[in-house]
Coordinates of all heavy atoms in Angstrom, one line a residue:
D1 N 0.8 -1.2 0.1 CA 0.0 0.0 0.0 C 0.9 1.2 0.0 O 0.3 2.4 0.2 CB -1.0 0.0 1.2 CG -0.3 0.0 2.5 OD1 1.0 -0.1 2.6 OD2 -1.0 0.2 3.5
C2 N 2.2 1.1 -0.3 CA 3.0 2.3 -0.3 C 2.7 3.2 -1.5 O 2.6 2.6 -2.7 CB 4.5 1.9 -0.3 SG 5.6 3.2 -0.5
P3 N 2.6 4.4 -1.4 CA 2.3 5.3 -2.6 C 3.4 5.2 -3.6 O 3.1 5.5 -4.8 CB 2.2 6.7 -2.0 CG 2.3 6.6 -0.6 CD 2.7 5.2 -0.1
G4 N 4.6 5.0 -3.3 CA 5.7 4.9 -4.2 C 5.8 3.6 -5.0 O 6.6 3.3 -5.9
H5 N 4.9 2.5 -4.7 CA 5.1 1.3 -5.2 C 4.9 1.2 -6.8 O 5.6 0.4 -7.4 CB 4.1 0.3 -4.6 CG 4.2 -1.1 -5.0 ND1 5.4 -1.9 -4.7 CD2 3.4 -1.9 -5.8 CE1 5.3 -3.1 -5.1 NE2 4.1 -3.2 -5.8
V6 N 4.0 2.0 -7.2 CA 3.8 2.1 -8.7 C 5.1 2.5 -9.4 O 5.4 1.9 -10.4 CB 2.6 3.1 -9.1 CG1 2.6 3.3 -10.6 CG2 1.3 2.5 -8.6
L7 N 5.8 3.6 -8.9 CA 7.0 4.0 -9.5 C 8.1 2.9 -9.3 O 8.9 2.7 -10.2 CB 7.5 5.2 -8.7 CG 6.6 6.5 -9.0 CD1 7.2 7.7 -8.1 CD2 6.6 6.8 -10.4
W8 N 8.1 2.2 -8.2 CA 9.1 1.1 -8.0 C 8.9 0.0 -9.1 O 9.9 -0.4 -9.6 CB 8.9 0.5 -6.6 CG 9.9 -0.6 -6.4 CD1 11.2 -0.5 -5.9 CD2 9.6 -2.0 -6.5 NE1 11.8 -1.8 -5.9 CE2 10.8 -2.6 -6.2 CE3 8.5 -2.6 -6.9 CZ2 10.9 -4.1 -6.2 CZ3 8.6 -4.1 -6.9 CH2 9.7 -4.7 -6.6
K9 N 7.6 -0.4 -9.3 CA 7.4 -1.4 -10.3 C 7.7 -0.9 -11.7 O 8.2 -1.8 -12.4 CB 5.9 -1.7 -10.2 CG 5.4 -2.7 -9.1 CD 4.0 -2.9 -9.1 CE 3.5 -3.7 -10.3 NZ 2.1 -4.1 -10.2
R10 N 7.6 0.3 -11.9 CA 8.0 0.9 -13.3 C 9.5 0.9 -13.4 O 10.0 0.5 -14.5 CB 7.5 2.3 -13.4 CG 7.7 2.9 -14.8 CD 7.5 4.4 -14.8 NE 8.6 5.0 -14.0 CZ 8.6 6.2 -13.6 NH1 7.5 7.0 -13.8 NH2 9.6 6.8 -12.9
D11 N 10.2 1.3 -12.4 CA 11.6 1.6 -12.6 C 12.5 0.4 -12.2 O 13.7 0.3 -12.7 CB 12.0 2.8 -11.6 CG 11.5 4.0 -12.1 OD1 11.0 4.0 -13.3 OD2 11.4 5.0 -11.4
F12 N 12.0 -0.6 -11.4 CA 12.9 -1.7 -11.0 C 12.4 -3.1 -11.7 O 11.8 -3.9 -11.0 CB 12.9 -1.9 -9.5 CG 13.7 -0.8 -8.9 CD1 13.0 0.4 -8.5 CD2 15.0 -0.9 -8.6 CE1 13.7 1.5 -7.9 CE2 15.7 0.1 -8.0 CZ 15.1 1.3 -7.6
T13 N 12.7 -3.2 -13.0 CA 12.3 -4.4 -13.6 C 13.4 -5.5 -13.6 O 13.1 -6.6 -14.0 CB 12.1 -4.0 -15.2 OG1 13.3 -3.5 -15.7 CG2 11.0 -3.0 -15.3
G14 N 14.5 -5.2 -13.0 CA 15.6 -6.2 -13.0 C 15.6 -6.8 -11.6 O 14.5 -6.9 -11.0
A15 N 16.7 -7.2 -11.2 CA 16.8 -7.9 -9.8 C 17.8 -7.2 -8.9 O 18.8 -6.7 -9.4 CB 17.1 -9.3 -10.0
S16 N 17.5 -7.1 -7.7 CA 18.4 -6.6 -6.7 C 18.0 -7.1 -5.3 O 16.8 -7.2 -5.0 CB 18.4 -5.1 -6.6 OG 19.3 -4.7 -5.6
G17 N 18.9 -7.5 -4.5 CA 18.6 -8.0 -3.2 C 18.9 -6.9 -2.1 O 18.8 -7.3 -1.0
L18 N 19.3 -5.7 -2.5 CA 19.6 -4.7 -1.5 C 18.5 -3.6 -1.4 O 18.3 -3.0 -2.5 CB 20.9 -4.2 -1.8 CG 21.5 -3.0 -0.8 CD1 21.7 -3.6 0.5 CD2 22.8 -2.5 -1.3
F19 N 17.9 -3.4 -0.4 CA 16.9 -2.4 -0.3 C 16.7 -2.0 1.2 O 17.2 -2.7 2.1 CB 15.6 -2.8 -0.8 CG 15.0 -4.0 -0.3 CD1 14.0 -3.9 0.7 CD2 15.3 -5.3 -0.7 CE1 13.4 -5.0 1.3 CE2 14.7 -6.5 -0.1 CZ 13.8 -6.3 0.9
S20 N 16.0 -1.0 1.4 CA 15.7 -0.5 2.9 C 14.1 -0.3 2.9 O 13.5 -0.1 2.0 CB 16.4 0.8 3.1 OG 17.8 0.7 3.1
I21 N 13.8 -0.5 4.2 CA 12.5 -0.2 4.6 C 12.4 0.8 5.7 O 13.4 0.8 6.5 CB 11.5 -1.5 4.9 CG1 12.2 -2.3 6.1 CG2 11.4 -2.4 3.7 CD1 11.4 -3.4 6.6
I22 N 11.4 1.5 5.9 CA 11.2 2.4 7.0 C 10.0 2.0 7.8 O 8.9 1.9 7.3 CB 11.1 3.9 6.6 CG1 12.3 4.3 5.8 CG2 10.9 4.8 7.8 CD1 12.2 5.6 5.1
L23 N 10.2 1.7 9.0 CA 9.1 1.2 10.0 C 8.4 2.5 10.5 O 9.0 3.6 10.6 CB 9.6 0.5 11.2 CG 10.5 -0.8 10.8 CD1 11.1 -1.3 12.1 CD2 9.7 -1.8 10.1
H24 N 7.2 2.3 10.9 CA 6.5 3.3 11.7 C 7.3 3.5 12.9 O 8.0 2.6 13.4 CB 5.0 2.9 12.0 CG 4.1 2.8 10.8 ND1 3.7 3.9 10.1 CD2 3.6 1.7 10.2 CE1 3.0 3.6 9.1 NE2 2.9 2.2 9.1
P25 N 7.2 4.7 13.6 CA 8.0 4.9 14.8 C 7.7 3.8 15.9 O 6.5 3.5 16.1 CB 7.5 6.2 15.3 CG 7.1 7.0 14.1 CD 6.5 5.9 13.2
I26 N 8.7 3.3 16.4 CA 8.5 2.2 17.5 C 9.6 2.4 18.6 O 10.6 3.1 18.3 CB 8.7 0.8 16.9 CG1 10.0 0.6 16.3 CG2 7.6 0.4 16.0 CD1 10.5 -0.8 15.8
E27 N 9.4 1.9 19.7 CA 10.4 2.0 20.8 C 11.6 1.0 20.5 O 11.4 0.0 19.9 CB 9.7 1.7 22.1 CG 8.6 2.7 22.5 CD 9.1 4.0 22.8 OE1 10.2 4.2 23.3 OE2 8.4 5.0 22.4
K28 N 12.7 1.4 21.1 CA 13.9 0.5 20.9 C 13.7 -0.9 21.4 O 14.2 -1.9 20.7 CB 15.2 1.1 21.5 CG 15.7 2.2 20.7 CD 16.9 2.8 21.3 CE 17.5 4.0 20.5 NZ 18.8 4.4 20.9
P29 N 13.1 -1.2 22.5 CA 12.8 -2.6 22.9 C 11.9 -3.4 21.9 O 12.2 -4.5 21.7 CB 12.1 -2.4 24.2 CG 12.6 -1.1 24.8 CD 12.7 -0.2 23.5
A30 N 11.0 -2.7 21.3 CA 10.2 -3.4 20.3 C 11.0 -3.8 19.0 O 10.9 -4.8 18.5 CB 9.0 -2.5 19.9
L31 N 12.0 -2.8 18.6 CA 12.8 -3.1 17.5 C 13.8 -4.3 17.9 O 14.0 -5.2 17.0 CB 13.6 -1.8 17.2 CG 14.7 -2.1 16.0 CD1 13.9 -2.4 14.7 CD2 15.5 -0.8 15.8
A32 N 14.3 -4.3 19.1 CA 15.1 -5.4 19.5 C 14.4 -6.7 19.6 O 14.9 -7.8 19.1 CB 15.6 -5.1 20.9
A33 N 13.0 -6.7 19.9 CA 12.3 -8.0 19.8 C 12.2 -8.4 18.4 O 12.1 -9.7 18.2 CB 10.9 -7.7 20.4
F34 N 12.0 -7.6 17.5 CA 12.0 -7.9 16.1 C 13.3 -8.6 15.6 O 13.3 -9.6 15.0 CB 11.6 -6.7 15.2 CG 11.7 -6.9 13.7 CD1 10.7 -7.5 13.0 CD2 12.9 -6.5 13.0 CE1 10.8 -7.8 11.7 CE2 12.9 -6.7 11.7 CZ 11.9 -7.4 11.0
L35 N 14.4 -7.9 15.8 CA 15.7 -8.2 15.3 C 16.4 -9.3 16.0 O 17.1 -10.1 15.4 CB 16.7 -6.9 15.3 CG 16.2 -5.8 14.4 CD1 17.2 -4.7 14.7 CD2 16.3 -6.2 12.9
D36 N 16.3 -9.4 17.3 CA 17.1 -10.3 18.1 C 16.9 -11.8 17.9 O 17.8 -12.6 18.1 CB 17.0 -10.0 19.6 CG 17.7 -8.7 20.0 OD1 18.4 -8.3 19.2 OD2 17.5 -8.3 21.1
H37 N 15.8 -12.2 17.3 CA 15.4 -13.5 17.2 C 15.2 -14.0 15.7 O 14.6 -15.0 15.5 CB 14.3 -14.1 18.1 CG 14.6 -13.8 19.5 ND1 15.5 -14.5 20.3 CD2 14.2 -12.8 20.4 CE1 15.6 -14.1 21.5 NE2 14.8 -13.0 21.6
L38 N 15.6 -13.2 14.8 CA 15.6 -13.6 13.4 C 16.5 -14.7 13.2 O 17.6 -14.9 13.7 CB 16.0 -12.5 12.5 CG 15.0 -11.3 12.4 CD1 15.6 -10.1 11.6 CD2 13.7 -11.7 11.8
S39 N 16.0 -15.8 12.5 CA 16.8 -17.0 12.4 C 17.6 -17.1 11.1 O 18.6 -17.7 11.0 CB 16.0 -18.3 12.5 OG 15.0 -18.3 11.5
L40 N 17.1 -16.4 10.1 CA 17.8 -16.4 8.7 C 18.6 -15.2 8.4 O 19.6 -15.2 7.7 CB 16.8 -16.7 7.6 CG 16.2 -18.1 7.7 CD1 15.2 -18.3 6.5 CD2 17.2 -19.3 7.6
F41 N 18.1 -14.1 8.9 CA 18.8 -12.8 8.6 C 19.8 -12.6 9.8 O 19.4 -12.5 10.9 CB 17.7 -11.6 8.7 CG 16.9 -11.5 7.4 CD1 15.7 -12.2 7.3 CD2 17.4 -10.7 6.4 CE1 14.9 -12.1 6.2 CE2 16.5 -10.6 5.2 CZ 15.3 -11.3 5.1
G42 N 21.0 -12.5 9.3 CA 22.1 -12.1 10.2 C 22.2 -10.6 10.4 O 21.6 -9.9 9.6
M43 N 22.8 -10.1 11.4 CA 23.0 -8.6 11.6 C 24.3 -8.2 10.8 O 25.4 -8.8 11.1 CB 23.1 -8.3 13.0 CG 21.8 -8.5 13.7 SD 20.5 -7.2 13.3 CE 21.2 -5.9 14.2
G44 N 24.2 -7.2 10.0 CA 25.5 -6.6 9.4 C 25.2 -6.1 8.0 O 24.1 -6.3 7.4
F45 N 26.3 -5.5 7.4 CA 26.2 -5.1 6.1 C 26.8 -6.1 5.1 O 27.6 -6.9 5.6 CB 27.1 -3.8 6.0 CG 26.5 -2.6 6.7 CD1 26.8 -2.3 8.0 CD2 25.5 -1.8 6.1 CE1 26.4 -1.2 8.6 CE2 25.0 -0.8 6.8 CZ 25.4 -0.4 8.0
S46 N 26.4 -6.0 3.9 CA 26.9 -7.1 2.9 C 27.4 -6.3 1.7 O 26.8 -5.2 1.3 CB 25.8 -7.9 2.4 OG 26.2 -8.8 1.4
W47 N 28.4 -6.8 1.2 CA 28.9 -6.4 -0.2 C 28.9 -7.6 -1.2 O 29.9 -7.8 -1.8 CB 30.3 -5.8 0.0 CG 30.4 -4.6 1.0 CD1 30.8 -4.7 2.2 CD2 29.8 -3.4 0.8 NE1 30.6 -3.5 2.9 CE2 30.0 -2.6 2.0 CE3 29.1 -2.8 -0.2 CZ2 29.6 -1.3 2.1 CZ3 28.7 -1.4 -0.1 CH2 28.9 -0.8 1.1
G48 N 27.8 -8.2 -1.2 CA 27.7 -9.2 -2.3 C 27.8 -10.7 -1.7 O 27.9 -11.5 -2.5
G49 N 27.6 -10.8 -0.4 CA 27.6 -12.2 0.1 C 26.4 -13.0 -0.3 O 25.4 -12.4 -0.9
F50 N 26.3 -14.2 0.1 CA 25.2 -15.1 -0.3 C 24.1 -15.2 0.8 O 23.1 -15.6 0.6 CB 25.7 -16.5 -0.7 CG 26.4 -17.1 0.5 CD1 25.6 -17.9 1.4 CD2 27.7 -17.1 0.7 CE1 26.1 -18.5 2.5 CE2 28.3 -17.7 1.8 CZ 27.6 -18.5 2.7
E51 N 24.5 -14.7 2.0 CA 23.5 -14.8 3.2 C 22.7 -13.5 3.3 O 23.1 -12.5 2.9 CB 24.2 -15.2 4.5 CG 25.2 -14.1 5.0 CD 26.6 -14.1 4.3 OE1 27.0 -15.2 4.0 OE2 27.1 -13.0 4.1
S52 N 21.5 -13.7 3.8 CA 20.6 -12.6 4.0 C 21.0 -11.9 5.3 O 21.3 -12.5 6.3 CB 19.1 -12.9 4.2 OG 18.7 -13.5 2.9
L53 N 21.0 -10.5 5.2 CA 21.5 -9.7 6.4 C 20.6 -8.5 6.6 O 19.8 -8.1 5.6 CB 22.8 -9.1 6.1 CG 24.0 -10.1 5.9 CD1 25.2 -9.4 5.5 CD2 24.3 -10.8 7.3
I54 N 20.4 -8.1 7.8 CA 19.6 -7.0 8.1 C 20.3 -6.0 9.2 O 21.0 -6.6 10.0 CB 18.2 -7.4 8.6 CG1 17.2 -6.3 8.7 CG2 18.4 -8.1 9.9 CD1 15.8 -6.7 9.0
V55 N 20.2 -4.8 9.0 CA 20.8 -3.9 10.0 C 20.0 -2.6 10.1 O 19.5 -2.0 9.2 CB 22.3 -3.6 9.6 CG1 22.4 -2.8 8.3 CG2 23.0 -3.0 10.8
P56 N 19.8 -2.2 11.4 CA 19.1 -0.8 11.5 C 20.1 0.3 11.2 O 21.3 0.1 11.5 CB 18.7 -0.8 13.0 CG 19.6 -1.9 13.7 CD 20.0 -2.8 12.7
C57 N 19.6 1.3 10.5 CA 20.5 2.4 10.1 C 19.9 3.7 10.5 O 18.6 3.8 10.6 CB 20.6 2.4 8.5 SG 21.4 1.0 7.9
N58 N 20.8 4.7 10.8 CA 20.4 6.1 11.1 C 21.1 7.0 10.1 O 22.2 7.3 10.4 CB 20.7 6.4 12.5 CG 20.2 7.8 12.8 OD1 19.6 8.5 12.0 ND2 20.6 8.3 14.0
P59 N 20.4 7.4 9.0 CA 21.1 8.3 8.0 C 21.1 9.7 8.5 O 21.8 10.5 7.8 CB 20.2 8.2 6.8 CG 18.9 7.6 7.2 CD 19.1 6.9 8.5
R60 N 20.6 10.2 9.6 CA 20.6 11.6 10.0 C 22.0 12.2 10.1 O 22.2 13.3 9.5 CB 19.9 11.7 11.3 CG 18.3 11.6 11.2 CD 17.6 11.8 12.6 NE 16.2 11.5 12.4 CZ 15.6 10.4 12.4 NH1 16.3 9.2 12.5 NH2 14.3 10.3 12.1
P61 N 22.9 11.5 10.8 CA 24.2 12.2 10.9 C 25.0 12.3 9.6 O 26.0 13.0 9.6 CB 24.9 11.4 12.0 CG 24.2 10.1 12.1 CD 22.9 10.3 11.6
I62 N 24.8 11.5 8.7 CA 25.6 11.4 7.5 C 24.9 11.9 6.2 O 25.6 12.0 5.2 CB 26.1 10.0 7.2 CG1 24.9 9.0 7.0 CG2 27.0 9.4 8.3 CD1 25.3 7.6 6.5
R63 N 23.7 12.3 6.3 CA 22.9 12.8 5.1 C 23.4 14.2 4.9 O 23.4 15.0 5.8 CB 21.4 12.8 5.5 CG 20.5 13.1 4.4 CD 20.3 11.9 3.5 NE 19.4 12.1 2.5 CZ 18.2 11.6 2.4 NH1 17.8 10.7 3.3 NH2 17.4 11.9 1.4
T64 N 23.8 14.6 3.6 CA 24.3 15.8 3.3 C 23.5 16.6 2.4 O 23.5 17.8 2.4 CB 25.8 15.7 2.7 OG1 25.7 14.9 1.5 CG2 26.7 15.1 3.7
A65 N 22.9 16.0 1.4 CA 22.2 16.7 0.3 C 20.9 17.2 0.8 O 20.5 18.4 0.6 CB 21.8 15.8 -0.9
T66 N 20.1 16.4 1.6 CA 18.9 16.9 2.2 C 18.8 16.3 3.6 O 19.4 15.3 4.0 CB 17.6 16.5 1.4 OG1 17.6 15.0 1.4 CG2 17.6 17.1 0.0
A67 N 18.0 16.9 4.5 CA 17.9 16.4 5.8 C 17.0 15.1 5.8 O 16.1 15.0 5.1 CB 17.2 17.5 6.7
W68 N 17.4 14.2 6.7 CA 16.6 13.0 6.9 C 15.5 13.3 7.9 O 15.7 13.7 9.0 CB 17.4 11.8 7.4 CG 16.7 10.6 7.6 CD1 16.1 10.1 8.7 CD2 16.3 9.7 6.5 NE1 15.5 8.9 8.5 CE2 15.6 8.6 7.1 CE3 16.6 9.6 5.2 CZ2 15.1 7.5 6.4 CZ3 16.1 8.5 4.5 CH2 15.4 7.5 5.1
T69 N 14.2 13.2 7.4 CA 13.1 13.7 8.2 C 12.1 12.5 8.6 O 11.2 12.8 9.3 CB 12.4 14.8 7.5 OG1 11.9 14.3 6.3 CG2 13.2 16.1 7.3
E70 N 12.4 11.3 8.2 CA 11.6 10.2 8.5 C 11.5 10.0 9.9 O 12.6 9.8 10.6 CB 12.0 8.9 7.7 CG 11.8 9.0 6.2 CD 10.4 9.1 5.7 OE1 9.5 8.6 6.5 OE2 10.1 9.7 4.7
P71 N 10.4 9.8 10.5 CA 10.4 9.6 12.1 C 10.6 8.2 12.4 O 11.0 7.9 13.6 CB 8.9 10.0 12.4 CG 8.1 9.8 11.2 CD 9.1 10.0 10.1
G72 N 10.4 7.2 11.4 CA 10.6 5.8 11.8 C 12.0 5.3 11.6 O 12.8 5.9 11.0
Q73 N 12.2 4.1 12.1 CA 13.5 3.4 12.0 C 13.7 2.9 10.6 O 12.8 2.2 10.1 CB 13.6 2.2 13.0 CG 14.9 1.4 12.9 CD 16.1 2.1 13.3 OE1 16.2 2.7 14.4 NE2 17.0 2.2 12.4
M74 N 14.8 3.0 10.0 CA 15.2 2.4 8.7 C 15.9 1.1 8.9 O 16.8 1.1 9.8 CB 16.1 3.4 7.9 CG 16.3 2.8 6.5 SD 17.2 4.1 5.4 CE 18.9 3.8 5.8
L75 N 15.5 0.1 8.2 CA 16.2 -1.2 8.2 C 16.7 -1.4 6.8 O 16.1 -1.3 5.8 CB 15.3 -2.3 8.6 CG 14.6 -2.2 9.9 CD1 13.7 -3.3 10.1 CD2 15.7 -2.4 11.0
R76 N 18.0 -1.7 6.7 CA 18.7 -2.1 5.5 C 18.8 -3.6 5.3 O 19.2 -4.3 6.2 CB 20.1 -1.6 5.5 CG 20.9 -1.8 4.2 CD 22.3 -1.2 4.4 NE 23.1 -1.2 3.2 CZ 23.9 -2.2 2.8 NH1 24.0 -3.3 3.7 NH2 24.6 -2.2 1.7
L77 N 18.2 -4.1 4.3 CA 18.2 -5.6 4.0 C 19.0 -5.9 2.8 O 19.0 -5.3 1.8 CB 16.7 -6.1 3.8 CG 15.8 -6.0 5.0 CD1 15.0 -4.7 5.0 CD2 14.9 -7.2 4.9
S78 N 19.8 -6.9 3.0 CA 20.5 -7.6 1.8 C 20.0 -9.1 1.7 O 20.2 -9.9 2.6 CB 21.9 -7.6 2.1 OG 22.7 -8.2 1.0
V79 N 19.1 -9.4 0.7 CA 18.5 -10.6 0.6 C 19.5 -11.6 -0.1 O 20.0 -11.2 -1.2 CB 17.2 -10.5 -0.2 CG1 16.6 -11.9 -0.3 CG2 16.3 -9.6 0.6
G80 N 19.7 -12.7 0.6 CA 20.6 -13.7 0.1 C 19.9 -14.8 -0.8 O 19.0 -14.6 -1.4
L81 N 20.6 -16.0 -0.7 CA 20.1 -17.1 -1.5 C 19.2 -18.1 -0.8 O 18.8 -19.0 -1.3 CB 21.3 -17.9 -2.0 CG 22.3 -17.1 -2.8 CD1 23.5 -18.0 -3.2 CD2 21.6 -16.6 -4.0
E82 N 18.7 -17.7 0.4 CA 17.8 -18.6 1.1 C 16.4 -18.6 0.4 O 16.1 -17.6 -0.4 CB 17.5 -18.1 2.6 CG 18.8 -18.1 3.4 CD 19.6 -16.8 3.3 OE1 19.3 -16.0 2.5 OE2 20.6 -16.7 4.0
H83 N 15.6 -19.6 0.6 CA 14.3 -19.7 -0.1 C 13.4 -18.5 0.4 O 13.4 -18.2 1.6 CB 13.6 -21.0 0.3 CG 12.4 -21.3 -0.7 ND1 11.2 -20.6 -0.5 CD2 12.3 -22.0 -1.7 CE1 10.5 -21.1 -1.5 NE2 11.1 -21.9 -2.2
I84 N 12.8 -17.9 -0.5 CA 11.9 -16.6 -0.3 C 10.8 -16.9 0.7 O 10.6 -16.0 1.5 CB 11.4 -16.0 -1.7 CG1 10.8 -14.7 -1.3 CG2 10.5 -17.0 -2.3 CD1 11.7 -13.6 -0.9
D85 N 10.3 -18.0 0.7 CA 9.2 -18.3 1.7 C 9.8 -18.4 3.0 O 9.1 -18.0 4.0 CB 8.4 -19.7 1.3 CG 7.7 -19.5 0.0 OD1 7.3 -18.4 -0.3 OD2 7.4 -20.6 -0.6
D86 N 11.0 -19.0 3.2 CA 11.7 -19.0 4.5 C 12.0 -17.6 5.0 O 11.8 -17.3 6.2 CB 12.9 -19.9 4.5 CG 12.6 -21.3 4.1 OD1 11.4 -21.8 4.4 OD2 13.5 -22.0 3.6
L87 N 12.5 -16.7 4.1 CA 12.9 -15.4 4.5 C 11.5 -14.6 4.9 O 11.5 -13.9 5.9 CB 13.5 -14.6 3.3 CG 14.9 -15.2 3.0 CD1 15.4 -14.6 1.7 CD2 15.9 -15.0 4.2
K88 N 10.5 -14.7 4.2 CA 9.2 -14.1 4.4 C 8.7 -14.5 5.8 O 8.3 -13.7 6.6 CB 8.2 -14.3 3.4 CG 8.6 -13.5 2.1 CD 7.8 -14.0 0.8 CE 6.4 -13.7 0.9 NZ 5.7 -14.1 -0.4
A89 N 8.8 -15.8 6.1 CA 8.3 -16.3 7.4 C 9.3 -15.8 8.5 O 8.7 -15.4 9.6 CB 8.4 -17.9 7.3
D90 N 10.5 -15.7 8.3 CA 11.4 -15.1 9.4 C 11.0 -13.7 9.6 O 10.9 -13.4 10.9 CB 12.9 -15.2 8.8 CG 13.9 -15.1 9.9 OD1 13.6 -15.4 11.2 OD2 15.0 -14.8 9.6
L91 N 10.8 -12.9 8.6 CA 10.5 -11.5 8.9 C 9.0 -11.4 9.4 O 8.8 -10.6 10.4 CB 10.5 -10.7 7.5 CG 11.9 -10.5 7.0 CD1 11.7 -9.9 5.6 CD2 12.7 -9.6 7.8
A92 N 8.1 -12.3 9.1 CA 6.7 -12.2 9.6 C 6.8 -12.5 11.1 O 6.0 -11.9 11.9 CB 5.8 -13.2 8.8
A93 N 7.6 -13.5 11.5 CA 7.7 -13.8 12.9 C 8.3 -12.6 13.7 O 7.9 -12.4 14.8 CB 8.6 -15.1 13.1
G94 N 9.3 -12.0 13.1 CA 9.9 -10.8 13.7 C 8.8 -9.7 13.9 O 8.8 -9.1 15.0
F95 N 8.0 -9.4 12.9 CA 7.0 -8.4 13.0 C 5.9 -8.8 14.1 O 5.4 -8.0 14.8 CB 6.3 -8.2 11.7 CG 7.1 -7.4 10.7 CD1 7.5 -7.9 9.5 CD2 7.5 -6.0 11.1 CE1 8.2 -7.0 8.6 CE2 8.2 -5.3 10.2 CZ 8.6 -5.8 9.0
E96 N 5.7 -10.0 14.2 CA 4.7 -10.6 15.2 C 5.3 -10.3 16.6 O 4.6 -9.9 17.5 CB 4.3 -12.0 15.1 CG 3.4 -12.3 13.9 CD 2.0 -11.6 14.1 OE1 1.5 -11.5 15.2 OE2 1.6 -11.0 13.1
R97 N 6.6 -10.6 16.8 CA 7.3 -10.4 18.1 C 7.2 -8.9 18.4 O 6.9 -8.4 19.5 CB 8.7 -10.8 18.0 CG 8.8 -12.4 18.1 CD 10.3 -12.7 18.3 NE 11.2 -12.2 17.3 CZ 11.4 -12.8 16.2 NH1 10.8 -13.9 15.9 NH2 12.4 -12.2 15.3
M98 N 7.5 -8.0 17.4 CA 7.5 -6.6 17.6 C 6.1 -6.1 18.0 O 5.9 -5.3 18.9 CB 7.9 -5.9 16.3 CG 8.0 -4.4 16.4 SD 8.8 -3.6 15.0 CE 7.6 -3.9 13.8
K99 N 5.1 -6.6 17.3 CA 3.7 -6.3 17.6 C 3.3 -6.7 18.9 O 2.6 -5.9 19.6 CB 2.8 -6.9 16.5 CG 1.3 -6.4 16.5 CD 0.6 -6.8 15.3 CE -0.3 -8.0 15.5 NZ -1.0 -8.3 14.3
A100 N 3.6 -7.9 19.4 CA 3.3 -8.4 20.6 C 3.9 -7.6 21.7 O 3.4 -7.4 22.8 CB 3.6 -9.9 20.8
F101 N 5.2 -7.1 21.5 CA 5.9 -6.4 22.5 C 5.2 -5.1 22.7 O 5.2 -4.5 23.8 CB 7.3 -6.2 22.0 CG 8.2 -5.7 23.0 CD1 8.9 -6.5 23.9 CD2 8.4 -4.3 23.2 CE1 9.7 -6.0 24.9 CE2 9.2 -3.8 24.2 CZ 9.8 -4.6 25.1
Q102 N 4.7 -4.5 21.6 CA 4.0 -3.2 21.7 C 2.7 -3.2 22.4 O 2.2 -2.2 22.8 CB 4.0 -2.5 20.3 CG 5.4 -2.1 19.9 CD 5.3 -1.4 18.5 OE1 4.9 -2.0 17.5 NE2 5.6 -0.1 18.5
A103 N 2.0 -4.4 22.3 CA 0.7 -4.4 22.8 C 0.6 -4.3 24.3 O 1.5 -4.4 25.0 CB 0.1 -5.8 22.4

């Protein structure tokens, strides 16, 4: 339901496993509940490895062209060679932990 999805579909016709998502604002313990128990996504940056990685990022201090004004946490994902259904299940379980933590 992202308003930019139509543009993404138009412009990204190839393949790439590196992207970012921005969460709605959440507390740090809820983010930790999401990240700490992912089973397939390791924590860290990737420069072309085969494993899936995720890392929280804060572009505010390094952004130079325009100010970073997004209120939510940005997550950088590098999707590896694991089966897509397994990766989706891992992320879904993380979102459920985050949601339960906030309830």
Side-chain angles (χ1 to χ4, degrees):
D1 64 349
C2 174
H5 186 67
V6 171
L7 293 174
W8 178 85
K9 282 178 64 174
R10 181 194 74 195
D11 294 341
F12 289 89
T13 57
S16 176
L18 180 62
F19 60 97
S20 296
I21 59 173
I22 301 170
L23 302 175
H24 292 290
I26 57 171
E27 299 294 324
K28 285 185 181 186
L31 179 63
F34 172 81
L35 294 171
D36 286 348
H37 300 288
L38 292 172
S39 61
L40 296 177
F41 284 88
M43 292 286 288
F45 292 96
S46 173
W47 300 108
F50 63 88
E51 64 279 323
S52 292
L53 299 170
I54 189 168
V55 66
C57 297
N58 179 9
R60 281 177 188 84
I62 59 172
R63 189 78 178 250
T64 58
T66 58
W68 182 261
T69 59
E70 293 293 332
Q73 175 67 56
M74 184 171 87
L75 298 176
R76 182 180 185 268
L77 292 94
S78 177
V79 177
L81 300 178
E82 300 88 352
H83 194 281
I84 188 65
D85 292 336
D86 296 334
L87 293 171
K88 288 166 67 174
D90 198 24
L91 292 172
F95 283 119
E96 286 301 315
R97 285 189 305 275
M98 183 173 65
K99 189 167 104 178
F101 192 90
Q102 290 182 292

